[in-house]
């Protein structure tokens, strides 16, 4: 596996090693401890929130937030179809029904379809507990329009910012939107705690309740007393130390991913039928900025002479990982009977899109190897 190029491997240095050793030597090996407390404070400040609760995953953050928004059996939660299954799974955990909304050309939830869905669901007398838009591949959704529509119907917005830590929209950090936001620190994310995530909110009661539910809902007495169903969802002290080191390095890791994206933009200019998805990724004044978590290309098979699956198979043969964009949730067998408002955009992105190695740990030589493999293949089929 030494020569294999992965999509987004962890970017760790001596700083992360030192942080874990510091936590280990501090004696706080069991869950929670001073590193968790410090990580929560630093993360909240970085993300423009009053409170952060460090958890075992971004999925856990979504789950606990939805519980507190009242989602349960008989309710509906509206979410993006262009996402990873964890978003929809968290809704199902509560007993609520996910309703899927297609994306626009940016890959983000289509506000017009959202408005139509809320109008129809309201007319049907359905109880819509939350809207969960997803920041696809590090680009923040149009929260101004989505928030306006949500306010019209009195539905709270829970932001799935699992992929967008470090991104901005209208000068606000991605996790600063909504009544709360869920972020992920999985091993392939832009920053990692190996596994992990967090819930970010300005509501002190929500933060406190999240901590309570995430620690098995233990009552504050000497013996084990429980009046609610709880969950084992807290982040460990050791992993929080890793997160603190990663958070300090996050700006430079984002810059590296943008540099890699610029290389792919130059590559695509020389290959007919190939474009980089999601551009522009910044505004002129940098008030809106993608974090460039993954760079994906779109392939027009007619113009290019090859499909995204053709290129993916070639790269796999060259020991280079490349993956299609998310398969929409409304196409997943487990969710095929759920309500979906679709326009065909997510299906087209899934068919034509391919994510390329984008990790900040990749050096120029590695990215050059990817570019050479792509350009050589493109030339061979012309």
């Amino acid at each position: 596996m030494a020569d294999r190029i992965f999509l987004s491997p962890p970017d760790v240095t001596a700083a992360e090693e030192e942080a874990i050793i510091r936590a280990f030597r501090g004696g706080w090996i069991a869950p929670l401890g001073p590193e968790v407390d410090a990580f929560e404070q630093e993360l909240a400040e970085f993300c423009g929130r009053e409170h952060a609760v460090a958890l075992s995953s971004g999925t856990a953050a979504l789950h606990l937030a939805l519980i507190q928004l009242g989602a349960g059996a008989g309710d509906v939660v509206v979410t993006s179809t262009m996402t990873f299954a964890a978003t929809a799974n968290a809704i199902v955990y509560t007993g609520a029904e996910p309703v899927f909304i297609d994306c626009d050309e940016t890959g983000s939830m289509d506000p017009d379809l959202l408005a139509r869905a809320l109008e129809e669901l309201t007319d049907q007398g359905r109880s819509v507990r939350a809207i969960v838009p997803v920041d696809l591949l590090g680009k923040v959704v149009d929260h101004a329009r989505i928030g306006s529509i949500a306010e019209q119907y009195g539905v709270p917005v829970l932001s799935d910012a699992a992929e967008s830590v470090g991104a901005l929209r209208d000068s606000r950090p991605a996790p600063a939107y909504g009544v709360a936001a869920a972020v992920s620190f999985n091993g392939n994310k832009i920053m990692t705690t190996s596994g992990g995530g967090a819930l970010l909110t300005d509501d002190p009661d929500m933060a406190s309740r999240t901590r309570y539910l995430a620690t098995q809902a233990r009552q504050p007495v000497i013996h084990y007393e429980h009046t609610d169903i709880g969950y084992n969802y807290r982040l460990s002290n050791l992993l929080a130390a890793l997160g603190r080191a990663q958070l300090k390095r996050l700006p430079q890791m984002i810059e590296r991913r943008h540099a890699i994206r610029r290389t792919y933009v130059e590559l695509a200019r020389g290959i007919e039928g190939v474009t980089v998805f999601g551009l522009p990724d910044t505004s002129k004044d940098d008030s809106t900025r993608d974090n460039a978590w993954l760079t994906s290309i779109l392939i027009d098979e007619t113009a290019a002479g090859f499909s995204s699956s053709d290129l993916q198979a070639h790269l796999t043969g060259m020991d280079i990982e490349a993956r299609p964009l998310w398969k929409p949730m409304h196409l997943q067998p487990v969710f095929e009977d759920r309500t979906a408002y679709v326009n065909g955009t997510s299906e087209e992105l899934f068919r034509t899109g391919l994510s390329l190695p984008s990790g900040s740990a990749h050096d120029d030589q590695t990215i050059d190897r990817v570019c050479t493999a792509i350009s050589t293949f493109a030339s061979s089929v012309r």
Side-chain angles (χ1 to χ4, degrees):
M1 302 292 283
D3 293 330
R4 181 164 174 76
I5 300 176
F6 291 97
L7 201 66
S8 182
D11 182 351
V12 291
T13 66
E16 285 80 4
E17 181 180 6
E18 291 167 4
I20 291 175
I21 292 172
R22 178 187 69 231
F24 184 86
R25 290 177 176 170
W28 291 85
I29 309 303
L32 303 183
E35 297 289 346
V36 173
D37 296 340
F39 183 44
E40 289 179 339
Q41 293 173 2
E42 292 160 4
L43 183 65
E45 181 178 357
F46 183 87
C47 293
R49 287 291 200 177
E50 292 295 321
H51 306 280
V53 184
L55 299 167
S56 57
S57 67
T59 312
L62 289 171
H63 184 199
L64 294 182
L66 287 168
I67 288 174
Q68 293 176 81
L69 294 176
D75 296 323
V76 164
V77 174
V78 178
T79 191
S80 305
T81 193
M82 195 65 174
T83 185
F84 179 56
T87 310
N89 287 344
I91 297 169
V92 175
Y93 294 165
T94 69
E97 176 188 345
V99 169
F100 300 113
I101 308 296
D102 216 326
C103 59
D104 58 22
E105 67 280 358
T106 70
S108 298
M109 179 183 284
D110 186 322
D112 293 331
L113 278 182
L114 172 64
R116 176 185 151 199
L118 290 177
E119 180 180 10
E120 292 186 6
L121 291 166
T122 300
D123 288 345
Q124 294 165 10
R126 304 298 300 274
S127 170
V128 183
R129 288 293 183 177
I131 300 165
V132 185
V134 178
D135 296 338
L136 185 71
L137 307 185
K139 184 180 291 293
V140 187
V141 304
D142 187 350
H143 279 288
R145 286 199 63 197
I146 289 174
S148 177
I149 294 166
E151 185 176 3
Q152 178 184 346
Y153 288 90
V155 180
V157 174
L158 169 61
S159 177
D160 185 340
E163 303 171 16
S164 59
V165 177
L168 298 172
R169 179 142 191 161
D170 298 326
S171 299
R172 293 183 67 186
Y177 286 97
V179 296
V183 299
S184 173
F185 306 127
N186 193 31
N188 68 348
K189 291 298 190 293
I190 198 158
M191 62 169 282
T192 185
T193 57
S194 179
L199 180 75
L200 293 123
T201 182
D202 296 325
D203 184 342
D205 293 334
M206 177 176 274
S208 177
R209 183 72 175 174
T210 299
R211 290 189 175 92
Y212 166 70
L213 292 174
T215 49
Q216 300 288 19
R218 288 177 55 186
Q219 292 292 313
V221 294
I222 192 65
H223 60 278
Y224 291 110
E225 183 87 7
H226 304 271
T227 58
D228 296 288
I229 297 298
Y231 306 89
N232 184 18
Y233 277 175
R234 279 298 239 154
L235 186 70
S236 83
N237 195 64
L238 293 178
L239 297 186
L242 173 60
R244 294 182 69 195
Q246 286 270 285
L247 188 61
K248 288 179 181 178
R249 295 182 52 242
L250 181 57
Q252 76 180 67
M253 291 194 287
I254 291 174
E255 289 305 320
R256 175 58 188 160
R257 288 183 187 249
H258 275 282
I260 291 171
R261 177 167 292 176
R262 288 191 292 271
T263 300
Y264 287 139
V265 169
E266 288 300 315
L267 172 70
R269 285 180 180 147
I271 305 175
E272 187 176 0
V274 175
T275 57
V276 172
F277 173 59
L279 298 179
D281 50 14
T282 62
S283 55
K284 290 182 180 179
D285 60 1
D286 250 11
S287 62
T288 296
R289 194 178 199 213
D290 187 336
N291 71 1
W293 172 50
L294 291 181
T295 295
S296 304
I297 56 174
L298 302 178
I299 300 174
D300 179 342
E301 184 175 356
T302 301
F306 59 91
S307 67
S308 61
S309 57
D310 292 334
L311 179 57
Q312 190 273 332
H314 172 74
L315 292 175
T316 297
M318 300 290 290
D319 256 351
I320 298 170
E321 184 181 21
R323 291 186 183 178
L325 274 66
W326 301 125
K327 182 176 181 179
M329 289 299 102
H330 71 272
L331 297 183
Q332 298 286 351
V334 69
F335 295 122
E336 62 186 2
D337 61 341
R338 308 289 182 160
T339 302
Y341 292 80
V342 299
N343 55 23
T345 304
S346 60
E347 295 180 29
E348 181 69 6
L349 290 175
F350 173 58
R351 186 182 69 82
T352 62
L354 191 67
S355 294
L356 302 177
S358 308
S360 55
H362 291 319
D363 58 20
D364 289 346
Q365 183 178 4
T366 299
I367 299 303
D368 286 346
R369 181 177 148 198
V370 178
C371 291
T372 298
I374 293 172
S375 59
T376 300
F377 176 75
S379 297
S380 71
V381 300
R382 298 303 299 174

